[in-house]
């Protein structure tokens, strides 16, 4: 084999290796999936409208969804840079020593615990068991120190379809498979998954779901959800990176993280 041909073959091998490594980096969930291979496979049905954002104008959003029903929009924003900054290595490097506030995953979230972010990742970020009570489950969502995390949030491109006379407030979180917030309600907002998958269950304001306030969403899905009559079934869907879910004011909702997930919500108030 002559030297030119050998060099060419070596170049091709290197290129293939680089492509494979690039695909591996892209598909590793930002490094968040490496601690555990565990994930929940059942994404459930999707009975919420899923639309490409280019097919829905702001006026159509206001008329069809803003005050009446949830919707999932694809391609609404481009958060490629924010996603890179939310990789495990990037967040640990920037925020590993900073304190984060953990909340119990029950309907009222009474208990709060402050720990260094690195300790949360090493000690608390793990799959949740089905028999855990909400009051015994701590994870990082919502209680963000906006001053400390502003350098990260400054790179987030929030959904542009804002309701009249409202402004957005961010809630950022990271949680393991099987975790989630049980049914509750508040004002309107958006939810976006940066890494992982998050399954959503929603009911309109006048249709309060049957649930125990100290039982986790995972236990509800396991014990209650399979036995619901058809007329008590929720609206539901699993969202992935690149999709944004909008929920209207006072809609009941619960979430279930199917993988180790990084997510951010924008509350409109």
């Amino acid at each position: 084999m002559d030297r030119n041909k050998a060099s060419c073959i070596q170049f091709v091998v290197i290129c293939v290796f680089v492509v494979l490594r690039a695909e591996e980096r892209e598909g590793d969930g930002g490094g968040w999936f490496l601690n555990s291979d565990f994930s929940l496979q059942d994404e459930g049905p999707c009975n919420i409208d899923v639309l490409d954002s280019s097919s829905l104008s702001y006026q159509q959003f206001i008329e069809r969804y803003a005050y009446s029903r949830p919707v999932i929009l694809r391609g609404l924003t481009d958060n490629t840079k924010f996603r890179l900054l939310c990789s495990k290595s990037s967040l640990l490097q920037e925020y590993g020593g900073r304190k984060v506030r953990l909340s119990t995953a029950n309907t009222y979230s009474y208990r709060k615990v402050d720990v260094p972010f690195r300790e949360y990742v090493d000690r608390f970020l793990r799959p949740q068991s089905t028999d855990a009570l909400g009051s015994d489950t701590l994870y990082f969502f919502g209680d963000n120190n906006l001053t400390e995390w502003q350098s990260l949030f400054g790179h987030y491109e929030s959904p542009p379809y804002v309701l009249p006379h409202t402004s957005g407030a961010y809630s950022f979180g990271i949680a393991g498979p099987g975790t989630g917030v049980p049914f509750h309600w508040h004002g309107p907002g958006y939810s976006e998954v940066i890494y992982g998958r998050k399954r959503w269950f929603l009911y309109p304001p006048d249709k309060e779901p049957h649930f125990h306030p100290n039982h986790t969403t995972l236990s509800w899905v396991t014990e209650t959800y399979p036995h619901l009559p058809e007329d008590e079934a929720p609206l539901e869907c699993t969202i992935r990176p690149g999709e944004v879910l909008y929920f209207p004011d006072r809609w009941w909702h619960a979430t279930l993280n199917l993988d180790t997930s990084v997510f951010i919500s924008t509350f409109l108030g």
Side-chain angles (χ1 to χ4, degrees), residues 96-140:
R98 303 191 193 186
K99 291 286 183 70
V100 294
R101 177 158 292 178
L102 312 183
S103 300
T104 51
N106 62 13
T107 294
Y108 305 111
S109 293
Y110 287 123
R111 189 160 65 103
K112 309 285 185 180
V113 176
D114 293 337
V115 299
F117 178 61
R118 185 177 297 276
E119 180 181 345
Y120 170 68
V121 171
D122 293 339
R123 180 181 168 194
F124 294 96
L125 191 60
R126 60 187 61 183
Q128 180 177 291
S129 63
T130 55
D131 58 354
L133 291 175
S135 56
D136 298 328
T137 304
L138 290 167
Y139 78 103
F140 173 42

Side-chain angles (χ1 to χ4, degrees), residues 54-184:
S54 63
S55 67
L56 186 74
S57 68
Y58 174 69
Q59 188 60 39
Q60 290 171 328
F61 166 75
I62 293 295
E63 293 173 355
R64 299 178 189 175
Y65 299 104
Y67 304 104
S68 58
R69 54 189 171 132
V71 63
I72 295 169
L73 298 174
R74 290 176 173 160
L76 189 60
T77 56
D78 181 3
N79 275 301
T80 303
K81 183 175 183 180
F82 183 74
R83 191 169 191 263
L84 292 173
L85 294 173
C86 289
S87 70
K88 184 178 180 180
S89 59
S90 295
L91 287 183
L92 285 175
Q93 180 178 348
E94 183 68 25
Y95 299 99
R98 303 191 193 186
K99 291 286 183 70
V100 294
R101 177 158 292 178
L102 312 183
S103 300
T104 51
N106 62 13
T107 294
Y108 305 111
S109 293
Y110 287 123
R111 189 160 65 103
K112 309 285 185 180
V113 176
D114 293 337
V115 299
F117 178 61
R118 185 177 297 276
E119 180 181 345
Y120 170 68
V121 171
D122 293 339
R123 180 181 168 194
F124 294 96
L125 191 60
R126 60 187 61 183
Q128 180 177 291
S129 63
T130 55
D131 58 354
L133 291 175
S135 56
D136 298 328
T137 304
L138 290 167
Y139 78 103
F140 173 42
F141 71 100
D143 284 311
N144 311 124
N145 184 318
L146 296 182
T147 301
E148 289 191 347
W149 291 81
Q150 184 56 44
S151 60
L152 176 66
F153 295 160
H155 294 283
Y156 178 64
E157 184 181 344
S158 60
Y161 292 174
V162 179
L163 303 186
H165 313 299
T166 67
S167 59
Y170 297 144
S171 174
F172 179 74
I174 303 169
T179 61
V181 181
F183 283 105
H184 63 289

Side-chain angles (χ1 to χ4, degrees), residues 226-237:
H227 309 292
L228 290 174
E230 187 175 346
D231 62 347
E232 293 184 19
L235 287 179
E236 62 175 295
C237 201

